[in-house]
């Protein structure tokens, strides 16, 4: 479910949804310029962060676009793991700010922070002899994302000519126990 408007720019979303972290994550794959997810999304989020949980989002009544939000989830998707219990296993906070520069340019930048508590998160690896090795990780996984986008379309009409420059920086820290093979 998703509310349209609660009070003064506040909205609530619940169920299974794409997280609003970063720039690209909450854009559905069919709307991407390329079919495949960018490498940081594959490496740090397993393609995209889709989770079961609840999201609170607030769009401030300011002259520039200002959005703040928080999400709480079961944390059962990578970078978390299925913890086989109820409760919050993953959380994130995010903020985005943006606006227009004349009639032809628009910009947006953001900062996101994710925290997960994986429990025996399994993954396959290859040893030095080329054999398959099963590993698991238990601990805390934290991820920071800084994103930015600049869009150009003559007089705001993107139907014939447009240009988009976007970038995202990911930094991950994981502390815990790694069980090798």
């Amino acid at each position: 479910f998703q509310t349209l408007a609660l009070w003064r720019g506040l909205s609530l979303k619940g169920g299974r949804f794409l997280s609003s972290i970063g720039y690209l994550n909450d854009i559905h794959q069919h709307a991407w310029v390329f079919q495949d997810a960018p490498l940081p999304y594959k490496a740090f989020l397993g393609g995209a962060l889709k989770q079961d949980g609840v999201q609170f989002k607030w769009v401030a009544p300011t002259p520039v676009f200002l959005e703040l939000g928080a999400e709480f989830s079961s944390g059962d998707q990578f970078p978390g793991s299925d913890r086989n219990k109820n409760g919050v296993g993953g959380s994130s906070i995010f903020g985005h700010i943006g606006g227009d520069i004349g009639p032809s340019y628009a910009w947006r930048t953001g900062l996101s922070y994710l925290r997960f508590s994986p429990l025996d998160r399994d993954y396959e690896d290859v040893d030095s002899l080329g054999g398959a090795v099963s590993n698991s990780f238990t601990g805390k996984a934290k991820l920071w994302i800084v994103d930015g986008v600049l869009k150009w379309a003559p007089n705001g009409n993107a139907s014939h000519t447009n240009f988009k420059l976007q970038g995202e920086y990911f930094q991950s820290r994981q502390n815990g126990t790694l069980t090798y093979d």
Side-chain angles (χ1 to χ4, degrees):
F1 69 89
Q2 180 175 1
T3 62
L4 298 178
L6 289 176
W7 178 73
R8 298 186 183 251
L10 185 66
S11 65
L12 175 67
K13 185 189 296 186
R16 180 166 294 161
F17 57 90
L18 289 167
S19 174
S20 291
I21 54 146
Y23 175 73
L24 190 62
N25 194 75
D26 68 351
I27 299 173
H28 287 271
Q29 186 175 6
H30 67 271
W32 293 352
V33 176
F34 299 98
Q35 176 65 26
D36 293 333
L39 184 58
Y41 277 87
K42 288 181 180 180
F44 295 112
L45 301 172
L49 185 59
K50 183 185 285 187
Q51 54 192 355
D52 295 339
V54 65
Q55 176 192 79
F56 301 94
K57 194 185 291 187
W58 177 62
V59 178
T62 59
V64 296
F65 172 72
L66 175 62
E67 174 184 70
L68 302 173
E71 300 169 341
F72 303 96
S73 71
S74 60
D76 62 348
Q77 303 293 321
F78 184 83
S81 67
D82 188 3
R83 302 170 334 129
N84 197 23
K85 66 179 186 176
N86 292 329
V88 176
S91 60
S92 64
I93 57 173
F94 56 88
H96 302 113
I97 187 168
D100 293 332
I101 306 170
S104 300
Y105 293 91
W107 64 277
R108 191 191 99 166
T109 188
L111 180 65
S112 305
Y113 173 74
L114 293 80
R115 185 172 183 274
F116 287 86
S117 301
L119 177 63
D120 294 326
R121 180 180 67 205
D122 295 328
Y123 70 95
E124 296 292 322
D125 205 355
V126 178
D127 65 13
S128 60
L129 300 174
V133 178
S134 295
N135 305 310
S136 70
F137 173 77
T138 298
K140 302 290 181 200
K142 300 174 184 177
L143 177 65
W144 288 92
I145 303 173
V146 177
D147 65 90
V149 64
L150 177 66
K151 297 179 182 181
W152 170 79
N155 295 317
N157 183 0
S159 62
H160 295 296
T161 304
N162 64 72
F163 177 78
K164 178 169 50 171
L165 176 65
Q166 75 183 51
E168 295 182 76
Y169 174 78
F170 288 63
Q171 182 179 6
S172 177
R173 302 253 181 204
Q174 297 190 31
N175 297 314
T177 304
L178 177 66
T179 304
Y180 175 74
D181 197 20

